[in-house]
Amino acid sequence: MEEVNLAESTFIAKKLTQRMPGGFCVYHATGDEKFIYVNDFLLEIFGCETLEEFKELTGYTFRGMVHPDDLDRVEDSIARQIANDIRNIDYVEYRIIRKDGTIRWLDDYGRFVSTKTYGDVFYVFVHDITAQHEFREENSRREKVIDGLSIGFSSIYLLNLDKGTMRPYKLQNDDFNKIREDLNLTAQNAKWEIILPEYAKRCVVEKDKEFYLKEISKETILNRTKDETSYTFHYRRRDNDGNTIHMEVLIVKVQDEELSHHVIMGYRDITEHIKSVRKKLTEKLNIEMALEREKHANEVKASFLFSMSHDIRTPMNAIMGFTALAQRHINEPELLQNYLEKLDESNHHMLDLIDDLLEMSKIDYGRTELKLETCNLRRQLQIVIDMFRIQAEEKAIRFEMEIDLPEHEVYVDSLRFRRVMSNILSNAVKFTPNDGTIKISARRKQVSESGYARYEFSIADNGVGMTPEFMKRMFDAFERESTSTQTGYIGTGLGLTITKKLLNIMGGSINVESKKNEGSTFTVDLPLKIVQEEKKELPPIVRDYKATGKYRILLVEDIDVNRMLAETILSESGFLVE
């Protein structure tokens, strides 16, 4: 290590540094690091007028000059730098405490030398850098604030709207990097009016490209930032795997006169946020829909109970009224016969209503199970037609039939099938005026390789028809067209409801065409499986049977009225009843 004559060097340093703009000192590198020399400017930095004041404040040592909280850090740094620098030069920054108690920041440029007279010493030049340090600290705080505000943003740029340049502040978007490299543009000469349109061309979803280009145009940015300090817009882009990414762009006007016509543009991925919002909206919508369904169900239930009580009361009133009249006119055969016929009509109406209500309840509570059996559709349809033939003849209604069904059997719930067809044919007979016509047609439409076939059944009348308003609600429970009163027949209002529900269970459908005062056409489409067996002879339908006293029946019934009725019917049929 080079040795110097400290006395000569110090004398020269005194002459050179006594009034130089900056502090200068020489201190021992070992022991208590006592000062050998300090210039007047160093005294001024510490706010001391005399050397005695400086000595009293610092103990006239380097250790006493440095802020105690910085001392260990400073000495460790100096030792490491001297050990690694062949020039024996170090640089540190630290705080001091002035005579008036204020804290200042100094930068310290030192050189370690070995002398003959004083041993190892440091020559040190110091400057007051408090203003620069505070500036750096303020910038650091600003950067931390900006970093905090920019969390989530993958890219942030400073756009010069006059020069068309875009300077990156935060750049994590590989798309922008690749475009810049492909166009041989550096970060310093990147033109946003070139890069952003190219980005739109390569990455933005086709439907959003026009919108994106409009929002990042100079004209739009100037117009939007004229009255607003910031604004955002959303668009969609594709990633390398073709997935849709939802992006948000934030554009902020720079509030600085020296940076007029500058804006900050930030990009961030909001896909997860969009998914979260959609999930919350879906959950909210599901809750609202559930509440609405519950509300509707309660309204339907209340309406059902009201209609049911009204519809039951109507035949009950008739039964009670005609029963009372029959009792008063028991000895008047003609009147009595008329009252009994009315009672019979009311009883049948009550029975129909109860049957419909029971059927509705079973369907609504999921207790309707299809009992599939092998049946001939032509025979089943003929049974339904025969049920209404007498009623039709009483009104001089003609049945025109086009039945084009093969003789093979199918698997079907025959009871539910007849219920569906009888509900439709019953309405046709009821609402077709005298001398009217009802056309009944049936055909097999198509057969699949799986052994199923689609069958179409159509019942068309030239009756009173329905209004478009009623057709919208004709499958609702207890709904009846005003023509019910005009035709003199008031039904239960459940027939079409049950028909629709049964067809849904059976996998079929129903289509209705109608015009007021011209008639209605009901078309049923039903898929059924064909029985893959040889044709069997169908047993004849037994319509009436007389036992002629050959059979004895033990009748058990706990309700007297029902037992009496059953005994009378069985006895009239020729059975011996006990």
Side-chain angles (χ1 to χ4, degrees), residues 68-79:
D69 292 343
D70 295 348
L71 182 61
D72 290 342
R73 172 182 63 81
V74 168
E75 293 207 320
D76 287 345
S77 178
I78 291 172

Side-chain angles (χ1 to χ4, degrees), residues 353-512:
L353 179 60
I354 292 173
D355 286 344
D356 286 347
L357 289 173
L358 290 174
E359 188 71 48
M360 281 281 292
S361 297
K362 285 193 292 183
I363 294 173
D364 288 340
Y365 284 96
R367 296 176 182 173
T368 299
E369 295 182 2
L370 297 180
K371 298 178 180 179
L372 299 181
E373 55 186 335
T374 59
C375 297
N376 182 284
L377 285 180
R378 182 187 291 271
R379 175 66 63 86
Q380 296 299 318
L381 186 59
Q382 189 62 50
I383 292 172
V384 174
I385 294 171
D386 290 344
M387 289 170 56
F388 296 94
R389 193 177 295 278
I390 295 176
Q391 295 180 35
E393 290 174 353
E394 290 175 352
K395 298 175 66 176
I397 295 174
R398 295 179 300 280
F399 280 170
E400 295 181 358
M401 292 181 285
E402 293 182 6
I403 311 299
D404 184 19
L405 293 173
E407 287 297 331
H408 62 236
E409 294 184 338
V410 296
Y411 292 102
V412 67
D413 188 326
S414 59
L415 180 63
R416 269 45 186 266
F417 173 76
R418 293 198 300 270
R419 181 67 182 270
V420 167
M421 300 309 299
S422 63
N423 281 349
I424 299 173
L425 187 54
S426 173
N427 283 344
V429 173
K430 292 166 189 172
F431 297 110
T432 298
N434 294 347
D435 298 319
T437 301
I438 297 176
K439 183 177 180 180
I440 304 168
S441 60
R443 66 188 179 99
R444 186 177 71 181
K445 294 171 62 177
Q446 60 187 37
V447 181
S448 68
E449 295 180 358
S450 60
Y452 280 83
R454 300 198 73 87
Y455 297 87
E456 183 181 88
F457 305 90
S458 176
I459 298 177
D461 63 66
N462 60 350
V464 296
M466 294 178 287
T467 61
E469 291 75 17
F470 175 72
M471 290 181 68
K472 295 176 182 178
R473 61 180 193 281
M474 63 181 172
F475 292 114
D476 295 341
F478 295 108
E479 287 293 341
R480 286 174 286 239
E481 176 71 292
S482 60
T483 51
S484 298
T485 56
Q486 297 171 8
T487 57
Y489 178 84
I490 303 178
T492 64
L494 294 173
L496 288 180
T497 307
I498 293 172
T499 298
K500 176 73 170 175
K501 290 178 179 290
L502 286 176
L503 283 172
N504 288 340
I505 295 173
M506 298 169 73
S509 62
I510 183 170
N511 181 62
V512 184

Side-chain angles (χ1 to χ4, degrees), residues 164-419:
T165 58
M166 57 186 299
R167 182 163 59 87
Y169 171 77
K170 182 178 183 181
L171 191 56
Q172 297 176 356
N173 191 316
D174 292 337
D175 295 322
F176 287 122
N177 284 333
K178 190 173 187 312
I179 291 170
R180 186 169 52 79
E181 291 172 0
D182 291 346
L183 299 178
N184 295 319
L185 296 173
T186 64
Q188 288 71 32
N189 69 353
K191 299 288 185 179
W192 63 271
E193 291 177 311
I194 297 175
I195 292 179
L196 297 185
E198 183 65 21
Y199 167 75
K201 179 181 177 181
R202 296 188 187 186
C203 305
V204 177
V205 171
E206 189 65 35
K207 291 183 178 179
D208 293 354
K209 285 182 180 178
E210 183 178 351
F211 170 75
Y212 175 83
L213 291 172
K214 176 179 176 295
E215 290 299 313
I216 57 96
S217 68
K218 180 178 179 180
E219 180 182 2
T220 299
I221 294 175
L222 288 174
N223 287 336
R224 294 288 297 269
T225 56
K226 186 185 300 181
D227 301 318
E228 306 172 64
T229 57
S230 67
Y231 70 93
T232 62
F233 67 89
H234 299 166
Y235 70 95
R236 293 165 299 172
R237 60 178 290 269
R238 300 285 187 193
D239 64 10
N240 294 331
D241 297 325
N243 300 315
T244 299
I245 307 298
H246 293 266
M247 299 293 294
E248 180 182 69
V249 177
L250 170 66
I251 296 180
V252 181
K253 182 179 181 180
V254 177
Q255 303 293 323
D256 191 320
E257 292 183 0
E258 295 182 0
L259 295 175
S260 60
H261 285 184
H262 282 68
V263 296
I264 297 171
M265 176 181 285
Y267 287 77
R268 68 174 175 176
D269 184 340
I270 58 169
T271 305
E272 292 303 318
H273 174 69
I274 293 291
K275 289 180 180 179
S276 176
V277 170
R278 284 179 176 173
K279 182 180 179 182
K280 290 179 181 178
L281 289 176
T282 300
E283 291 174 350
K284 181 180 179 182
L285 181 61
N286 288 337
I287 292 173
E288 291 177 351
M289 289 176 65
L291 292 173
E292 188 63 29
R293 283 195 298 268
E294 183 177 354
K295 178 182 176 183
H296 178 69
N298 290 332
E299 291 174 352
V300 170
K301 188 185 298 182
S303 175
F304 180 85
L305 292 173
F306 173 79
S307 300
M308 184 179 68
S309 62
H310 177 271
D311 280 47
I312 290 178
R313 190 181 299 114
T314 299
M316 281 297 299
N317 289 338
I319 292 171
M320 294 174 64
F322 284 116
T323 300
L325 289 173
Q327 290 173 343
R328 286 203 299 268
H329 299 276
I330 194 72
N331 295 320
E332 301 178 52
E334 291 185 4
L335 282 176
L336 183 60
Q337 179 64 30
N338 183 44
Y339 296 152
L340 291 176
E341 289 176 357
K342 298 296 184 185
L343 273 172
D344 186 58
E345 291 177 3
S346 298
N347 285 332
H348 279 90
H349 183 71
M350 174 70 82
L351 185 59
D352 289 343
L353 179 60
I354 292 173
D355 286 344
D356 286 347
L357 289 173
L358 290 174
E359 188 71 48
M360 281 281 292
S361 297
K362 285 193 292 183
I363 294 173
D364 288 340
Y365 284 96
R367 296 176 182 173
T368 299
E369 295 182 2
L370 297 180
K371 298 178 180 179
L372 299 181
E373 55 186 335
T374 59
C375 297
N376 182 284
L377 285 180
R378 182 187 291 271
R379 175 66 63 86
Q380 296 299 318
L381 186 59
Q382 189 62 50
I383 292 172
V384 174
I385 294 171
D386 290 344
M387 289 170 56
F388 296 94
R389 193 177 295 278
I390 295 176
Q391 295 180 35
E393 290 174 353
E394 290 175 352
K395 298 175 66 176
I397 295 174
R398 295 179 300 280
F399 280 170
E400 295 181 358
M401 292 181 285
E402 293 182 6
I403 311 299
D404 184 19
L405 293 173
E407 287 297 331
H408 62 236
E409 294 184 338
V410 296
Y411 292 102
V412 67
D413 188 326
S414 59
L415 180 63
R416 269 45 186 266
F417 173 76
R418 293 198 300 270
R419 181 67 182 270

